[in-house]
Amino acid sequence: MKKPELLVTPTKVDDISRLINSGATAILIGEEKYGLRLAGEFNRDDIKESVKIAHGLGAKVYVSMNALFHNDKLEFLPEYISFLSDVNVDAIVFGDPAVIMAAREAAPEMKLHWNTETTATNYFTANYWGQKGAKRAVMAREINMDSIVETKEKAEVEIEVQVHGMTCMFQSKRTLIGNYMEFQGKDLKVEGRSKDRTLFLHDPERDAKYPIFEDENGTHIMSPNDICIIDELEDMLDAGVDSFKIDGVLKSVDYIEKVTSLYNEAIELYLQDPDAYQDKKFFYLEEIEKIQPINRNLDTGFFFKETVY
Amino acid sequence: MQQISSFTPEGKRVIIKKPELLAPAGSLEKLKIAVHYGADAVFIGGREFGLRSNADNFSIEEMREGVEFANKYGAKIYVTTNIFAHNENMEGLEEYLKDLQEVGVTGIIVADPLIIETCKRVAPNVEVHLSTQQSLTNWQAIKFWKEEGLHRVVLAREVGLEEMLEMKKHVDIEIETFIHGAMCIAYSGRCVLSNHMTARDSNRGGCCQSCRWDYHLFEQDDHKEEEIALYQEADDPFTMSPKDLNLLEGIPQVIEAGIDSLKVEGRMKSIHYVATVTSVYRKVIDAYCADPDNFKIDPKWIEELDKCANRDTAPAFFEEVPTYKEQMFGNHGKKTTFDFAGLVLDYDEDTKIVTLQQRNHFKPGDEVEFFGPEIENFTQQIEKIWDEDDEEIDAARHPLQIVKFKVDKPLYPNNMMRKGVL
């Protein structure tokens, strides 16, 4: 059985060697202008530096360009893609077909990973984007374990699944936090509304807390719990899912590092000795529970939850 | 780019590229009303693969009847099949699309490439229109979908007029845009609040509109492990309820931009809504196209649209990114000012007696308003009312009851009667 890629999100250049030494085999970075809900902001010099460090340690570097682009951003895409190609980034993550169009012109050899998040829900469509040039599909977090396994069986592209962390529930182009503050008559310059402030919405009905922040791409609302399936990795390892992602958005590097090393250990143990993994998997879960930030419970997302419609 | 206008021999400018007026139809009755009130095309939902799982939705047989009716009036029918399918939803898709082709619908409105590709393969005579669920926001993406063989794209609700103009300049494909109705506050397709909060899948038709619920905004102080409320006791709670879209005053610009189809949202809305909104936009589009250079918005049109609105309206992203003024805080709803009271079945010119199907309570002495494509709106006080057996009654109490009374001006079948509510 092959060991899947362990993809993690550093918050800054200095995190990279720590995370790779903890077991990460690929990193996802980028800048807000092109990528959505990143753990950190990486400008061009940072990207260059990141590639040097990661490649030196044998890990891959993916750059996020999965924003929904309006016309005014189009002119920047080819040049940015050329730059990423020149500095030997291993793949670009996209959602908007405009990125395919730009990559065909600017860097036809560049690998593309399709990731719209919410709309990657079946194997046919994963393969469709494969035919359009994607090497990988990142599955929606809203599909269940059986679908993921079936999708992997029928996919002609690599399959990536988020196994840990926060997920996005909502993106609006409107500046909803600022709008609310203006409605209340507050001075926005003083108040601020960015990711640097830890804001959340409290849902009184469900007593849940949803992180919320604004950036260049609009307003984002995040899940109340962190996905954690460190004790449920068997099916996806057996199926050969290509990449397991740990999303570190709104988390500290200490947290991401610890989670990475635990997942790495769990995966390696299963591959060497599935029975030993069965004995130890709840220990891994407990270890993660110990470092969870206040207000952030763990759950299994939609892996074992059915939705109706 | 296609030519939008030309000049008559007398030197008057007229619009030669008239956009399609596309109305919602949640049922066969609404479909007929929409066409009767001036829609060039209607969009409907089938029993599967669409996004309003709570709506009535059409069986294949009802679609057939709808197509036959629409054909008589030269109107087109599009079927929404815009879910993002999970693996388990693939079953039955081919049969369904073949049925749609056989029934003769003009096109389907699709988001998932699974359905796009399957339709191209098994139902090649059906046009494929890209749904707003794909949140299409730039012309390169439009070019991509054109190269994929799509007939038409529906823009994201976040696209403004300047962006539309640029899209039209770069790509020659039919463009459809929303002009009226309720809308998502998120990028469509990019919201799963409903999945998390109620286990209902928004992208398969289960959306429970969690965005419009009330929340409280807090700041977490990580160092002090403290939560600070960012609202005062008296403040309205945080909510994400957008005012409904209303582009009445932007119609001239949309027409001049060469947009091909102007879409009214609302498959779940009443026939009163469908009739009112369709007839107003019909008048606006016709008036502008006939004489664009002397066109003025008639305040009556704005008043008329307001009669079926249950929420405040705004032009959304048409000119710029909306502010708090285009959202609703506190009381989200607005009291409707008019009830739909009856549907005209017949009018006897000699006796001036209307035969009408009751849709809401009314009684002698009530002041009512009639409207319809054949008439100018007029109001009238109701005198005596008789039932089907010519027995005088003190009120029209029963839904769908057939009643008769005297109306001074002529009426036509499918004209509607509405009544002010206090």
Side-chain angles (χ1 to χ4, degrees):
Chain A
M1 209 178 299
K2 75 169 184 182
K3 190 180 170 188
E5 173 182 279
L6 192 56
L7 172 62
V8 302
T9 59
T11 68
K12 56 187 181 304
V13 174
D14 290 346
D15 299 349
I16 294 171
S17 54
R18 284 174 68 180
L19 295 176
I20 295 173
N21 290 331
S22 306
T25 54
I27 57 167
L28 175 65
I29 57 176
E31 58 179 291
E32 188 180 297
K33 186 175 175 187
Y34 303 104
L36 295 174
R37 300 173 284 277
L38 296 157
E41 183 73 2
F42 288 71
N43 66 28
R44 293 187 181 206
D45 287 340
D46 295 335
I47 290 173
K48 235 190 256 181
E49 186 66 17
S50 300
V51 172
K52 211 186 290 170
I53 297 168
H55 284 180
L57 295 168
K60 292 189 168 151
V61 178
Y62 307 144
V63 172
S64 183
M65 291 184 72
N66 67 340
L68 285 158
F69 298 108
H70 286 254
N71 291 342
D72 59 353
K73 290 273 181 75
L74 293 178
E75 57 171 315
F76 304 111
L77 303 185
E79 198 269 322
Y80 188 61
I81 293 170
S82 294
F83 161 76
L84 297 176
S85 173
D86 290 344
V87 300
N88 294 318
V89 159
D90 296 284
I92 288 172
V93 179
F94 80 99
D96 192 321
V99 174
I100 297 184
M101 302 296 273
R104 282 176 188 167
E105 296 293 321
E109 297 304 313
M110 175 58 81
K111 283 197 179 122
L112 298 174
H113 294 178
W114 177 57
N115 182 15
T116 54
E117 302 196 343
T118 52
T119 71
T121 51
N122 66 69
Y123 63 82
F124 184 101
T125 297
N127 289 338
Y128 169 86
W129 290 106
Q131 285 152 19
K132 301 302 149 203
K135 289 279 174 288
R136 175 185 290 189
V138 182
M139 299 314 293
R141 289 75 165 256
E142 291 75 32
I143 65 172
N144 63 32
M145 187 68 85
D146 292 344
S147 292
I148 290 168
V149 170
E150 187 190 10
T151 297
K152 175 56 202 166
E153 281 166 9
K154 295 181 174 161
E156 292 145 15
V157 289
E158 294 174 12
I159 295 295
E160 177 185 313
V161 175
Q162 182 181 342
V163 293
H164 193 90
M166 203 179 275
T167 66
C168 175
M169 306 197 291
F170 170 101
Q171 184 190 344
S172 174
K173 186 173 164 66
R174 299 186 194 220
T175 54
L176 296 171
I177 302 170
N179 287 1
Y180 181 59
M181 289 176 174
E182 276 189 299
F183 167 71
Q184 291 174 307
K186 289 181 183 166
D187 181 352
L188 283 179
K189 286 202 188 74
V190 182
E191 285 291 326
R193 48 185 168 177
S194 74
K195 249 202 262 196
D196 307 332
R197 279 178 93 177
T198 312
L199 301 181
F200 67 85
L201 297 179
H202 180 243
D203 173 353
E205 191 88 358
R206 271 151 288 277
D207 195 24
K209 291 167 182 169
Y210 313 123
I212 181 169
F213 62 88
E214 267 181 41
D215 64 14
E216 192 176 337
N217 296 298
T219 307
H220 311 266
I221 303 176
M222 310 300 285
S223 61
N225 300 320
D226 290 330
I227 294 176
C228 176
I229 54 161
I230 197 163
D231 55 334
E232 300 277 3
L233 297 173
E234 306 92 316
D235 290 351
M236 290 199 296
L237 286 168
D238 289 345
V241 168
D242 302 273
S243 177
F244 288 11
K245 180 185 183 184
I246 295 168
D247 197 321
V249 63
L250 304 180
K251 292 292 194 315
S252 71
V253 63
D254 293 340
Y255 176 89
I256 304 169
E257 184 182 30
K258 179 75 181 162
V259 170
T260 304
S261 71
L262 286 166
Y263 270 88
N264 184 50
E265 197 184 318
I267 292 165
E268 286 190 343
L269 184 60
Y270 181 78
L271 297 181
Q272 285 157 17
D273 184 351
D275 293 336
Y277 170 77
Q278 294 303 334
D279 293 340
K280 209 175 171 187
K281 62 185 190 180
F282 297 113
F283 164 79
Y284 296 130
L285 182 60
E286 281 163 20
E287 287 297 294
I288 292 179
E289 273 165 357
K290 281 183 203 162
I291 56 165
Q292 276 304 108
I294 45 167
N295 281 337
R296 299 295 302 172
N297 291 323
L298 297 174
D299 72 8
T300 53
F302 291 91
F303 282 97
F304 307 104
K305 186 158 89 182
E306 290 306 316
T307 49
V308 295
Y309 46 94
Chain B
M1 208 166 121
Q2 211 181 328
Q3 196 186 345
I4 308 293
S5 61
S6 73
F7 289 89
T8 64
E10 296 77 39
K12 189 178 115 180
R13 192 168 80 94
V14 291
I15 300 292
I16 52 169
K17 186 183 181 320
K18 205 171 181 179
E20 169 184 275
L21 175 58
L22 174 55
S27 67
L28 203 47
E29 184 187 32
K30 290 175 200 169
L31 181 154
K32 291 177 181 174
I33 288 293
V35 172
H36 188 75
Y37 278 73
D40 300 306
V42 296
F43 63 102
I44 63 175
R47 295 264 158 91
E48 291 175 278
F49 307 106
L51 272 189
R52 293 285 182 279
S53 53
N54 286 332
D56 282 343
N57 292 328
F58 285 65
S59 67
I60 294 294
E61 282 320 303
E62 286 166 330
M63 282 187 201
R64 196 185 303 282
E65 195 182 330
V67 169
E68 273 164 24
F69 179 86
N71 281 347
K72 268 190 275 179
Y73 295 89
K76 291 176 176 169
I77 292 187
Y78 310 128
V79 180
T80 58
T81 47
N82 54 348
I83 63 164
F84 285 103
H86 290 206
N87 293 346
E88 73 211 47
N89 302 117
M90 292 185 186
E91 212 182 302
L93 178 61
E94 290 191 9
E95 281 313 304
Y96 182 71
L97 294 171
K98 282 179 192 163
D99 283 348
L100 296 187
Q101 174 166 276
E102 191 264 321
V103 158
V105 306
T106 301
I108 57 170
I109 306 169
V110 200
D112 193 330
L114 159 73
I115 303 179
I116 295 172
E117 294 300 302
T118 309
C119 186
K120 287 200 285 197
R121 187 164 50 81
V122 305
N125 297 335
V126 176
E127 286 184 12
V128 179
H129 300 181
L130 192 74
S131 163
T132 196
Q133 286 294 105
Q134 271 285 359
S135 277
L136 197 53
T137 49
N138 69 71
W139 61 262
Q140 279 285 15
I142 296 178
K143 212 169 141 200
F144 173 88
W145 292 113
K146 180 182 162 71
E147 287 172 12
E148 287 301 294
L150 270 60
H151 297 80
R152 177 187 289 189
V153 295
V154 187
L155 301 180
R157 285 82 176 309
E158 288 77 9
V159 173
L161 177 65
E162 288 305 316
E163 293 176 311
M164 291 181 205
L165 286 165
E166 206 182 338
M167 289 167 171
K168 267 287 170 195
K169 196 173 79 191
H170 285 280
V171 197
D172 179 22
I173 189 173
E174 286 185 16
I175 289 184
E176 177 178 311
T177 195
F178 284 91
I179 55 165
H180 198 90
M183 53 183 186
C184 289
I185 196 155
Y187 277 110
S188 292
R190 302 303 181 95
C191 171
V192 288
L193 289 178
S194 181
N195 303 48
H196 282 266
M197 296 181 188
T198 64
R200 294 177 60 84
D201 189 350
S202 52
N203 284 333
R204 287 188 289 173
C207 175
C208 64
Q209 302 198 336
S210 317
C211 56
R212 298 184 178 191
W213 299 349
D214 289 342
Y215 303 96
H216 299 296
L217 184 64
F218 282 89
E219 177 162 17
Q220 175 83 47
D221 187 330
D222 288 323
H223 303 294
K224 297 185 200 143
E225 300 199 2
E226 218 179 330
E227 291 169 0
I228 306 146
L230 297 184
Y231 59 95
Q232 305 291 318
E233 201 63 34
D235 282 357
D236 286 315
F238 182 97
T239 188
M240 301 179 283
S241 196
K243 287 184 181 173
D244 287 350
L245 177 65
N246 178 340
L247 271 196
L248 179 76
E249 301 189 39
I251 294 300
Q253 289 153 292
V254 174
I255 293 174
E256 297 289 353
I259 300 301
D260 302 271
S261 178
L262 311 185
K263 183 175 205 164
V264 174
E265 179 278 344
R267 281 199 288 127
M268 309 278 273
K269 298 271 173 67
S270 67
I271 65 167
H272 177 232
Y273 169 90
V274 172
T276 305
V277 177
T278 305
S279 64
V280 169
Y281 281 102
R282 179 76 279 153
K283 285 176 194 159
V284 177
I285 295 168
D286 288 350
Y288 186 78
C289 291
D291 191 2
D293 297 331
N294 293 303
F295 174 85
K296 277 198 192 69
I297 294 281
D298 185 339
K300 268 194 261 170
W301 295 331
I302 298 171
E303 236 174 78
E304 184 76 3
L305 276 182
D306 207 42
K307 288 173 187 168
C308 69
N310 57 2
R311 289 160 58 87
D312 287 336
T313 62
F317 284 85
F318 195 60
E319 276 161 4
E320 56 196 341
V321 176
T323 67
Y324 75 92
K325 290 174 190 154
E326 286 78 39
Q327 278 175 250
M328 279 182 282
F329 295 97
N331 187 12
H332 305 186
K334 168 178 140 178
K335 224 176 152 216
T336 42
T337 46
F338 282 85
D339 272 343
F340 173 35
L343 183 68
V344 173
L345 301 178
D346 191 32
Y347 181 80
D348 188 323
E349 299 251 6
D350 300 330
T351 60
K352 302 196 172 198
I353 295 289
V354 65
T355 307
L356 175 138
Q357 188 184 57
Q358 193 263 31
R359 294 299 179 103
N360 235 313
H361 181 280
F362 63 91
K363 59 182 192 311
D366 283 351
E367 186 159 278
V368 293
E369 180 182 44
F370 288 95
F371 72 102
E374 301 87 351
I375 59 170
E376 285 291 315
N377 288 20
F378 65 90
T379 54
Q380 152 113 31
Q381 197 173 36
I382 295 178
E383 293 165 7
K384 284 179 182 174
I385 308 176
W386 297 275
D387 70 8
E388 233 174 338
D389 306 318
D390 296 323
E391 297 283 338
E392 191 175 338
I393 51 178
D394 65 340
R397 286 201 166 77
H398 310 296
L400 304 183
Q401 182 180 14
I402 309 294
V403 299
K404 299 173 191 177
F405 53 93
K406 198 164 166 233
V407 176
D408 298 334
K409 293 186 191 170
L411 289 168
Y412 301 86
N414 292 320
N415 285 173
M416 289 188 189
M417 180 177 97
R418 55 163 85 102
K419 192 184 89 169
V421 285
L422 300 175

